[in-house]
Amino acid sequence: MSKEIYHGWHVELVPEATGYSFQCWLPSDRLAVSDRHTYPTLESARFAAQTRADLEAVRWALKHCYANYIQGNLNSDEYSTLEGLIVGVLTREKTSQLLVG
């Protein structure tokens, strides 16, 4: 079993009979997230775990921005800009990982 930190997420890579699975969680949260798949290699499980952590981060950030928009703390242009930045930064980072890795 391998434990790592990725963007503040704890990532646990677990050996299975036919490959590897993963679980991710934030230090302040006991609830783990996983896709319940088994991956053939450690690297493919690591990449899937990082992707899931990124998706959870995007989900949280977009919910937070939307809540601020609904409460009137952001106008529609500000919300659209933040939404684009959140998605764009993580998309660029994951694309870079694909090209390098």
Side-chain angles (χ1 to χ4, degrees):
M1 180 170 19
S2 171
K3 292 185 180 182
E4 305 172 2
I5 302 284
Y6 174 77
H7 292 174
W9 287 81
H10 290 263
V11 175
E12 184 176 274
L13 302 167
V14 182
E16 305 285 348
T18 59
Y20 296 87
S21 63
F22 72 84
Q23 290 188 9
C24 302
W25 66 94
L26 291 170
S28 60
D29 197 353
R30 288 197 244 184
L31 181 65
V33 294
S34 175
D35 63 3
R36 298 184 181 184
H37 283 87
T38 301
Y39 294 89
T41 67
L42 184 63
E43 285 305 312
S44 60
R46 178 178 289 120
F47 184 77
Q50 291 172 350
T51 300
R52 181 61 187 260
D54 287 344
L55 289 173
E56 292 298 324
V58 166
R59 182 177 294 146
W60 179 88
L62 290 175
K63 280 175 56 175
H64 182 72
C65 285
Y66 184 70
N68 276 287
Y69 170 67
I70 292 299
Q71 293 169 358
N73 298 326
L74 298 171
N75 65 39
S76 60
D77 288 340
E78 291 168 329
Y79 174 73
S80 294
T81 299
L82 282 173
E83 181 181 48
L85 288 170
I86 291 165
V87 172
V89 166
L90 290 173
T91 302
R92 277 192 303 275
E93 182 171 316
K94 193 51 71 179
T95 301
S96 296
Q97 287 178 359
L98 283 172
L99 295 174
V100 172

